mmCIF file of all heavy atoms in Angstrom:
data_model
loop_
_atom_site.group_PDB
_atom_site.id
_atom_site.type_symbol
_atom_site.label_atom_id
_atom_site.label_comp_id
_atom_site.label_asym_id
_atom_site.label_seq_id
_atom_site.Cartn_x
_atom_site.Cartn_y
_atom_site.Cartn_z
ATOM 1 N N GLN A 580 84.744 -78.014 -39.366
ATOM 2 C CA GLN A 580 83.949 -76.792 -39.495
ATOM 3 C C GLN A 580 84.854 -75.567 -39.638
ATOM 4 O O GLN A 580 84.589 -74.680 -40.449
ATOM 5 C CB GLN A 580 83.039 -76.633 -38.271
ATOM 6 C CG GLN A 580 82.132 -75.425 -38.316
ATOM 7 C CD GLN A 580 81.093 -75.507 -39.420
ATOM 8 O OE1 GLN A 580 80.769 -76.596 -39.896
ATOM 9 N NE2 GLN A 580 80.564 -74.367 -39.833
ATOM 10 N N LEU A 581 85.929 -75.522 -38.853
ATOM 11 C CA LEU A 581 86.847 -74.391 -38.965
ATOM 12 C C LEU A 581 87.510 -74.364 -40.339
ATOM 13 O O LEU A 581 87.638 -73.295 -40.951
ATOM 14 C CB LEU A 581 87.912 -74.459 -37.862
ATOM 15 C CG LEU A 581 88.971 -73.357 -37.919
ATOM 16 C CD1 LEU A 581 88.356 -71.969 -37.851
ATOM 17 C CD2 LEU A 581 89.988 -73.537 -36.791
ATOM 18 N N LEU A 582 87.890 -75.519 -40.839
ATOM 19 C CA LEU A 582 88.504 -75.565 -42.168
ATOM 20 C C LEU A 582 87.539 -75.065 -43.246
ATOM 21 O O LEU A 582 87.933 -74.355 -44.179
ATOM 22 C CB LEU A 582 88.967 -76.983 -42.482
ATOM 23 C CG LEU A 582 90.209 -77.461 -41.723
ATOM 24 C CD1 LEU A 582 90.414 -78.958 -41.898
ATOM 25 C CD2 LEU A 582 91.451 -76.697 -42.180
ATOM 26 N N LEU A 583 86.271 -75.435 -43.114
ATOM 27 C CA LEU A 583 85.256 -74.935 -44.057
ATOM 28 C C LEU A 583 85.227 -73.408 -44.069
ATOM 29 O O LEU A 583 85.214 -72.769 -45.131
ATOM 30 C CB LEU A 583 83.877 -75.450 -43.651
ATOM 31 C CG LEU A 583 83.372 -76.758 -44.228
ATOM 32 C CD1 LEU A 583 82.026 -77.104 -43.605
ATOM 33 C CD2 LEU A 583 83.246 -76.677 -45.742
ATOM 34 N N ARG A 584 85.223 -72.820 -42.887
ATOM 35 C CA ARG A 584 85.090 -71.365 -42.782
ATOM 36 C C ARG A 584 86.383 -70.657 -43.157
ATOM 37 O O ARG A 584 86.354 -69.521 -43.651
ATOM 38 C CB ARG A 584 84.619 -71.004 -41.380
ATOM 39 C CG ARG A 584 83.257 -71.627 -41.053
ATOM 40 C CD ARG A 584 82.699 -71.082 -39.774
ATOM 41 N NE ARG A 584 82.367 -69.677 -39.910
ATOM 42 C CZ ARG A 584 82.195 -68.847 -38.871
ATOM 43 N NH1 ARG A 584 82.334 -69.313 -37.630
ATOM 44 N NH2 ARG A 584 81.901 -67.586 -39.060
ATOM 45 N N ILE A 585 87.520 -71.293 -42.919
ATOM 46 C CA ILE A 585 88.794 -70.739 -43.372
ATOM 47 C C ILE A 585 88.763 -70.577 -44.892
ATOM 48 O O ILE A 585 89.172 -69.547 -45.438
ATOM 49 C CB ILE A 585 89.970 -71.637 -42.936
ATOM 50 C CG1 ILE A 585 90.260 -71.442 -41.439
ATOM 51 C CG2 ILE A 585 91.218 -71.353 -43.757
ATOM 52 C CD1 ILE A 585 91.306 -72.401 -40.895
ATOM 53 N N ARG A 586 88.274 -71.622 -45.573
ATOM 54 C CA ARG A 586 88.185 -71.552 -47.037
ATOM 55 C C ARG A 586 87.192 -70.485 -47.478
ATOM 56 O O ARG A 586 87.468 -69.714 -48.410
ATOM 57 C CB ARG A 586 87.799 -72.913 -47.608
ATOM 58 C CG ARG A 586 87.636 -72.905 -49.125
ATOM 59 C CD ARG A 586 87.670 -74.286 -49.710
ATOM 60 N NE ARG A 586 86.646 -75.160 -49.162
ATOM 61 C CZ ARG A 586 86.567 -76.476 -49.419
ATOM 62 N NH1 ARG A 586 87.457 -77.046 -50.207
ATOM 63 N NH2 ARG A 586 85.608 -77.203 -48.886
ATOM 64 N N GLU A 587 86.043 -70.412 -46.824
ATOM 65 C CA GLU A 587 85.024 -69.432 -47.197
ATOM 66 C C GLU A 587 85.540 -68.004 -47.080
ATOM 67 O O GLU A 587 85.255 -67.146 -47.927
ATOM 68 C CB GLU A 587 83.792 -69.598 -46.296
ATOM 69 C CG GLU A 587 82.985 -70.856 -46.559
ATOM 70 C CD GLU A 587 81.910 -71.063 -45.508
ATOM 71 O OE1 GLU A 587 81.797 -70.197 -44.600
ATOM 72 O OE2 GLU A 587 81.175 -72.065 -45.596
ATOM 73 N N LYS A 588 86.310 -67.738 -46.022
ATOM 74 C CA LYS A 588 86.741 -66.371 -45.743
ATOM 75 C C LYS A 588 88.139 -66.062 -46.267
ATOM 76 O O LYS A 588 88.611 -64.923 -46.140
ATOM 77 C CB LYS A 588 86.676 -66.103 -44.230
ATOM 78 C CG LYS A 588 85.248 -66.101 -43.691
ATOM 79 C CD LYS A 588 85.209 -65.731 -42.232
ATOM 80 C CE LYS A 588 83.782 -65.595 -41.732
ATOM 81 N NZ LYS A 588 83.061 -64.468 -42.362
ATOM 82 N N GLY A 589 88.832 -67.060 -46.811
ATOM 83 C CA GLY A 589 90.163 -66.821 -47.355
ATOM 84 C C GLY A 589 91.201 -66.493 -46.302
ATOM 85 O O GLY A 589 92.145 -65.744 -46.556
ATOM 86 N N ILE A 590 91.055 -67.066 -45.125
ATOM 87 C CA ILE A 590 91.993 -66.817 -44.022
ATOM 88 C C ILE A 590 93.289 -67.589 -44.269
ATOM 89 O O ILE A 590 93.260 -68.766 -44.652
ATOM 90 C CB ILE A 590 91.374 -67.242 -42.679
ATOM 91 C CG1 ILE A 590 90.106 -66.436 -42.398
ATOM 92 C CG2 ILE A 590 92.370 -67.102 -41.543
ATOM 93 C CD1 ILE A 590 90.321 -64.970 -42.149
ATOM 94 N N THR A 591 94.415 -66.950 -44.036
ATOM 95 C CA THR A 591 95.709 -67.612 -44.266
ATOM 96 C C THR A 591 96.574 -67.710 -43.012
ATOM 97 O O THR A 591 97.614 -68.362 -43.047
ATOM 98 C CB THR A 591 96.512 -66.861 -45.342
ATOM 99 O OG1 THR A 591 96.758 -65.513 -44.907
ATOM 100 C CG2 THR A 591 95.747 -66.827 -46.666
ATOM 101 N N ASN A 592 96.176 -67.075 -41.915
ATOM 102 C CA ASN A 592 97.050 -66.997 -40.743
ATOM 103 C C ASN A 592 96.602 -67.889 -39.586
ATOM 104 O O ASN A 592 96.794 -67.559 -38.411
ATOM 105 C CB ASN A 592 97.182 -65.543 -40.267
ATOM 106 C CG ASN A 592 95.840 -64.894 -39.936
ATOM 107 O OD1 ASN A 592 94.799 -65.295 -40.452
ATOM 108 N ND2 ASN A 592 95.868 -63.879 -39.089
ATOM 109 N N ILE A 593 95.996 -69.035 -39.918
ATOM 110 C CA ILE A 593 95.621 -70.044 -38.925
ATOM 111 C C ILE A 593 96.279 -71.373 -39.286
ATOM 112 O O ILE A 593 96.290 -71.762 -40.454
ATOM 113 C CB ILE A 593 94.090 -70.246 -38.854
ATOM 114 C CG1 ILE A 593 93.392 -69.007 -38.298
ATOM 115 C CG2 ILE A 593 93.738 -71.457 -37.988
ATOM 116 C CD1 ILE A 593 91.875 -69.117 -38.278
ATOM 117 N N ARG A 594 96.794 -72.057 -38.278
ATOM 118 C CA ARG A 594 97.215 -73.445 -38.414
ATOM 119 C C ARG A 594 96.551 -74.239 -37.296
ATOM 120 O O ARG A 594 96.264 -73.706 -36.210
ATOM 121 C CB ARG A 594 98.737 -73.593 -38.337
ATOM 122 C CG ARG A 594 99.493 -72.869 -39.441
ATOM 123 C CD ARG A 594 99.223 -73.461 -40.809
ATOM 124 N NE ARG A 594 99.966 -72.771 -41.847
ATOM 125 C CZ ARG A 594 99.528 -71.703 -42.520
ATOM 126 N NH1 ARG A 594 98.324 -71.207 -42.248
ATOM 127 N NH2 ARG A 594 100.279 -71.133 -43.443
ATOM 128 N N ILE A 595 96.304 -75.531 -37.548
ATOM 129 C CA ILE A 595 95.516 -76.360 -36.633
ATOM 130 C C ILE A 595 96.305 -77.595 -36.240
ATOM 131 O O ILE A 595 96.926 -78.250 -37.086
ATOM 132 C CB ILE A 595 94.193 -76.792 -37.290
ATOM 133 C CG1 ILE A 595 93.381 -75.567 -37.724
ATOM 134 C CG2 ILE A 595 93.372 -77.663 -36.347
ATOM 135 C CD1 ILE A 595 92.175 -75.905 -38.585
ATOM 136 N N ASP A 596 96.264 -77.906 -34.943
ATOM 137 C CA ASP A 596 96.880 -79.129 -34.430
ATOM 138 C C ASP A 596 95.809 -79.948 -33.731
ATOM 139 O O ASP A 596 95.056 -79.416 -32.906
ATOM 140 C CB ASP A 596 98.014 -78.786 -33.454
ATOM 141 C CG ASP A 596 98.996 -79.933 -33.289
ATOM 142 O OD1 ASP A 596 98.540 -81.068 -33.008
ATOM 143 O OD2 ASP A 596 100.206 -79.710 -33.429
ATOM 144 N N ARG A 597 95.718 -81.242 -34.066
ATOM 145 C CA ARG A 597 94.667 -82.092 -33.518
ATOM 146 C C ARG A 597 95.142 -82.924 -32.333
ATOM 147 O O ARG A 597 94.398 -83.757 -31.819
ATOM 148 C CB ARG A 597 94.147 -83.048 -34.606
ATOM 149 C CG ARG A 597 93.591 -82.336 -35.805
ATOM 150 C CD ARG A 597 92.900 -83.250 -36.794
ATOM 151 N NE ARG A 597 93.595 -84.494 -37.075
ATOM 152 C CZ ARG A 597 93.501 -85.169 -38.204
ATOM 153 N NH1 ARG A 597 92.722 -84.701 -39.177
ATOM 154 N NH2 ARG A 597 94.145 -86.283 -38.392
ATOM 155 N N ARG A 598 96.347 -82.703 -31.875
ATOM 156 C CA ARG A 598 96.876 -83.482 -30.756
ATOM 157 C C ARG A 598 96.428 -82.909 -29.413
ATOM 158 O O ARG A 598 95.875 -81.819 -29.328
ATOM 159 C CB ARG A 598 98.403 -83.525 -30.834
ATOM 160 C CG ARG A 598 98.911 -84.347 -32.004
ATOM 161 C CD ARG A 598 100.398 -84.236 -32.179
ATOM 162 N NE ARG A 598 100.793 -82.906 -32.658
ATOM 163 C CZ ARG A 598 102.000 -82.611 -33.122
ATOM 164 N NH1 ARG A 598 102.932 -83.549 -33.161
ATOM 165 N NH2 ARG A 598 102.286 -81.388 -33.543
ATOM 166 N N ASP A 599 96.708 -83.661 -28.356
ATOM 167 C CA ASP A 599 96.420 -83.213 -26.994
ATOM 168 C C ASP A 599 97.176 -81.918 -26.712
ATOM 169 O O ASP A 599 98.332 -81.754 -27.106
ATOM 170 C CB ASP A 599 96.834 -84.300 -26.011
ATOM 171 C CG ASP A 599 96.571 -83.907 -24.580
ATOM 172 O OD1 ASP A 599 95.420 -84.016 -24.139
ATOM 173 O OD2 ASP A 599 97.525 -83.463 -23.903
ATOM 174 N N ALA A 600 96.529 -80.994 -26.004
ATOM 175 C CA ALA A 600 97.115 -79.679 -25.771
ATOM 176 C C ALA A 600 98.451 -79.762 -25.040
ATOM 177 O O ALA A 600 99.391 -79.025 -25.370
ATOM 178 C CB ALA A 600 96.139 -78.816 -24.975
ATOM 179 N N ILE A 601 98.561 -80.645 -24.064
ATOM 180 C CA ILE A 601 99.809 -80.750 -23.306
ATOM 181 C C ILE A 601 100.946 -81.194 -24.216
ATOM 182 O O ILE A 601 102.084 -80.698 -24.110
ATOM 183 C CB ILE A 601 99.646 -81.728 -22.126
ATOM 184 C CG1 ILE A 601 98.636 -81.177 -21.109
ATOM 185 C CG2 ILE A 601 100.990 -81.975 -21.454
ATOM 186 C CD1 ILE A 601 99.041 -79.864 -20.469
ATOM 187 N N GLU A 602 100.657 -82.094 -25.146
ATOM 188 C CA GLU A 602 101.684 -82.522 -26.098
ATOM 189 C C GLU A 602 102.133 -81.365 -26.972
ATOM 190 O O GLU A 602 103.343 -81.188 -27.221
ATOM 191 C CB GLU A 602 101.146 -83.660 -26.973
ATOM 192 C CG GLU A 602 102.168 -84.216 -27.949
ATOM 193 C CD GLU A 602 101.620 -85.331 -28.809
ATOM 194 O OE1 GLU A 602 100.461 -85.750 -28.578
ATOM 195 O OE2 GLU A 602 102.340 -85.789 -29.714
ATOM 196 N N VAL A 603 101.193 -80.556 -27.422
ATOM 197 C CA VAL A 603 101.542 -79.412 -28.265
ATOM 198 C C VAL A 603 102.396 -78.410 -27.486
ATOM 199 O O VAL A 603 103.373 -77.858 -28.007
ATOM 200 C CB VAL A 603 100.277 -78.737 -28.815
ATOM 201 C CG1 VAL A 603 100.625 -77.481 -29.602
ATOM 202 C CG2 VAL A 603 99.492 -79.712 -29.693
ATOM 203 N N LEU A 604 102.051 -78.175 -26.225
ATOM 204 C CA LEU A 604 102.841 -77.257 -25.409
ATOM 205 C C LEU A 604 104.286 -77.722 -25.286
ATOM 206 O O LEU A 604 105.208 -76.901 -25.229
ATOM 207 C CB LEU A 604 102.221 -77.117 -24.013
ATOM 208 C CG LEU A 604 100.856 -76.440 -23.912
ATOM 209 C CD1 LEU A 604 100.420 -76.357 -22.467
ATOM 210 C CD2 LEU A 604 100.866 -75.062 -24.547
ATOM 211 N N GLU A 605 104.488 -79.020 -25.247
ATOM 212 C CA GLU A 605 105.844 -79.561 -25.133
ATOM 213 C C GLU A 605 106.648 -79.338 -26.407
ATOM 214 O O GLU A 605 107.881 -79.329 -26.380
ATOM 215 C CB GLU A 605 105.783 -81.058 -24.829
ATOM 216 C CG GLU A 605 105.184 -81.423 -23.488
ATOM 217 C CD GLU A 605 106.139 -81.189 -22.323
ATOM 218 O OE1 GLU A 605 107.267 -80.722 -22.572
ATOM 219 O OE2 GLU A 605 105.744 -81.460 -21.177
ATOM 220 N N LEU A 606 105.973 -79.161 -27.539
ATOM 221 C CA LEU A 606 106.645 -79.086 -28.836
ATOM 222 C C LEU A 606 106.916 -77.661 -29.295
ATOM 223 O O LEU A 606 107.658 -77.461 -30.259
ATOM 224 C CB LEU A 606 105.811 -79.813 -29.900
ATOM 225 C CG LEU A 606 105.620 -81.319 -29.683
ATOM 226 C CD1 LEU A 606 104.668 -81.879 -30.737
ATOM 227 C CD2 LEU A 606 106.960 -82.040 -29.739
ATOM 228 N N LEU A 607 106.334 -76.678 -28.627
ATOM 229 C CA LEU A 607 106.555 -75.284 -29.018
ATOM 230 C C LEU A 607 107.829 -74.742 -28.384
ATOM 231 O O LEU A 607 108.161 -75.103 -27.248
ATOM 232 C CB LEU A 607 105.363 -74.424 -28.611
ATOM 233 C CG LEU A 607 104.115 -74.542 -29.481
ATOM 234 C CD1 LEU A 607 102.918 -73.908 -28.782
ATOM 235 C CD2 LEU A 607 104.345 -73.889 -30.848
ATOM 236 N N PRO A 608 108.542 -73.851 -29.071
ATOM 237 C CA PRO A 608 109.776 -73.287 -28.512
ATOM 238 C C PRO A 608 109.485 -72.339 -27.348
ATOM 239 O O PRO A 608 108.439 -71.672 -27.309
ATOM 240 C CB PRO A 608 110.389 -72.526 -29.695
ATOM 241 C CG PRO A 608 109.680 -73.012 -30.908
ATOM 242 C CD PRO A 608 108.317 -73.431 -30.452
ATOM 243 N N ALA A 609 110.415 -72.251 -26.420
ATOM 244 C CA ALA A 609 110.296 -71.317 -25.296
ATOM 245 C C ALA A 609 110.187 -69.892 -25.825
ATOM 246 O O ALA A 609 110.864 -69.502 -26.782
ATOM 247 C CB ALA A 609 111.499 -71.448 -24.374
ATOM 248 N N GLY A 610 109.303 -69.115 -25.210
ATOM 249 C CA GLY A 610 109.151 -67.720 -25.580
ATOM 250 C C GLY A 610 108.553 -67.484 -26.953
ATOM 251 O O GLY A 610 108.710 -66.399 -27.519
ATOM 252 N N SER A 611 107.827 -68.454 -27.482
ATOM 253 C CA SER A 611 107.302 -68.324 -28.848
ATOM 254 C C SER A 611 105.914 -67.702 -28.908
ATOM 255 O O SER A 611 105.454 -67.332 -29.987
ATOM 256 C CB SER A 611 107.275 -69.690 -29.540
ATOM 257 O OG SER A 611 106.476 -70.612 -28.824
ATOM 258 N N LEU A 612 105.220 -67.579 -27.779
ATOM 259 C CA LEU A 612 103.831 -67.117 -27.776
ATOM 260 C C LEU A 612 103.708 -65.687 -27.252
ATOM 261 O O LEU A 612 104.299 -65.337 -26.225
ATOM 262 C CB LEU A 612 102.966 -68.025 -26.909
ATOM 263 C CG LEU A 612 102.807 -69.486 -27.337
ATOM 264 C CD1 LEU A 612 101.938 -70.224 -26.334
ATOM 265 C CD2 LEU A 612 102.230 -69.589 -28.741
ATOM 266 N N SER A 613 102.900 -64.905 -27.938
ATOM 267 C CA SER A 613 102.544 -63.575 -27.447
ATOM 268 C C SER A 613 101.283 -63.625 -26.585
ATOM 269 O O SER A 613 101.028 -62.704 -25.803
ATOM 270 C CB SER A 613 102.323 -62.619 -28.618
ATOM 271 O OG SER A 613 103.538 -62.409 -29.327
ATOM 272 N N GLY A 614 100.503 -64.665 -26.726
ATOM 273 C CA GLY A 614 99.296 -64.808 -25.928
ATOM 274 C C GLY A 614 98.694 -66.180 -26.090
ATOM 275 O O GLY A 614 98.982 -66.894 -27.060
ATOM 276 N N ALA A 615 97.868 -66.587 -25.119
ATOM 277 C CA ALA A 615 97.197 -67.888 -25.165
ATOM 278 C C ALA A 615 95.782 -67.732 -24.626
ATOM 279 O O ALA A 615 95.555 -66.999 -23.660
ATOM 280 C CB ALA A 615 97.963 -68.919 -24.346
ATOM 281 N N PHE A 616 94.851 -68.428 -25.274
ATOM 282 C CA PHE A 616 93.441 -68.385 -24.900
ATOM 283 C C PHE A 616 92.966 -69.778 -24.502
ATOM 284 O O PHE A 616 93.276 -70.770 -25.174
ATOM 285 C CB PHE A 616 92.584 -67.906 -26.073
ATOM 286 C CG PHE A 616 92.885 -66.516 -26.549
ATOM 287 C CD1 PHE A 616 93.842 -66.294 -27.524
ATOM 288 C CD2 PHE A 616 92.210 -65.427 -26.021
ATOM 289 C CE1 PHE A 616 94.119 -65.017 -27.980
ATOM 290 C CE2 PHE A 616 92.484 -64.137 -26.461
ATOM 291 C CZ PHE A 616 93.444 -63.928 -27.444
ATOM 292 N N LEU A 617 92.180 -69.827 -23.442
ATOM 293 C CA LEU A 617 91.473 -71.040 -23.041
ATOM 294 C C LEU A 617 90.033 -70.613 -22.778
ATOM 295 O O LEU A 617 89.698 -70.145 -21.691
ATOM 296 C CB LEU A 617 92.111 -71.648 -21.788
ATOM 297 C CG LEU A 617 91.481 -72.944 -21.276
ATOM 298 C CD1 LEU A 617 91.701 -74.094 -22.263
ATOM 299 C CD2 LEU A 617 92.041 -73.318 -19.909
ATOM 300 N N LEU A 618 89.195 -70.740 -23.791
ATOM 301 C CA LEU A 618 87.845 -70.203 -23.738
ATOM 302 C C LEU A 618 86.826 -71.328 -23.610
ATOM 303 O O LEU A 618 86.676 -72.152 -24.503
ATOM 304 C CB LEU A 618 87.562 -69.371 -24.997
ATOM 305 C CG LEU A 618 88.567 -68.236 -25.274
ATOM 306 C CD1 LEU A 618 88.199 -67.511 -26.564
ATOM 307 C CD2 LEU A 618 88.633 -67.265 -24.110
ATOM 308 N N PHE A 619 86.168 -71.375 -22.481
ATOM 309 C CA PHE A 619 85.099 -72.327 -22.200
ATOM 310 C C PHE A 619 85.559 -73.776 -22.371
ATOM 311 O O PHE A 619 85.001 -74.532 -23.162
ATOM 312 C CB PHE A 619 83.865 -71.983 -23.049
ATOM 313 C CG PHE A 619 83.450 -70.560 -22.812
ATOM 314 C CD1 PHE A 619 83.916 -69.543 -23.626
ATOM 315 C CD2 PHE A 619 82.672 -70.240 -21.720
ATOM 316 C CE1 PHE A 619 83.591 -68.218 -23.365
ATOM 317 C CE2 PHE A 619 82.341 -68.913 -21.452
ATOM 318 C CZ PHE A 619 82.802 -67.911 -22.271
ATOM 319 N N PRO A 620 86.599 -74.140 -21.605
ATOM 320 C CA PRO A 620 87.097 -75.522 -21.658
ATOM 321 C C PRO A 620 86.128 -76.478 -20.977
ATOM 322 O O PRO A 620 85.215 -76.059 -20.246
ATOM 323 C CB PRO A 620 88.414 -75.447 -20.875
ATOM 324 C CG PRO A 620 88.177 -74.343 -19.883
ATOM 325 C CD PRO A 620 87.339 -73.319 -20.625
ATOM 326 N N ASP A 621 86.328 -77.762 -21.228
ATOM 327 C CA ASP A 621 85.537 -78.794 -20.554
ATOM 328 C C ASP A 621 85.694 -78.596 -19.049
ATOM 329 O O ASP A 621 86.805 -78.635 -18.523
ATOM 330 C CB ASP A 621 86.047 -80.179 -20.952
ATOM 331 C CG ASP A 621 85.118 -81.293 -20.502
ATOM 332 O OD1 ASP A 621 84.443 -81.131 -19.461
ATOM 333 O OD2 ASP A 621 85.080 -82.328 -21.185
#
């Protein structure tokens, strides 16, 4: 659904990862984030 809307709106500044969040956190460089959101998690 997000990919559909990205195409509709011509958004270019989003990338998507389908892996477990903890795995993704392990793969990002230290100090690489300006902010993080966790909105209405399970």
Side-chain angles (χ1 to χ4, degrees):
Q580 182 66 22
L581 177 58
L582 287 169
L583 269 176
R584 299 190 67 199
I585 284 174
R586 178 163 58 188
E587 289 172 1
K588 293 184 174 294
I590 299 293
T591 60
N592 57 335
I593 293 177
R594 298 294 181 271
I595 302 170
D596 201 308
R597 301 188 317 208
R598 291 172 290 193
D599 180 80
I601 295 298
E602 183 180 355
V603 175
L604 293 181
E605 295 283 1
L606 297 175
L607 284 166
S611 59
L612 296 179
S613 294
F616 298 89
L617 181 67
L618 305 179
F619 305 93
D621 191 330

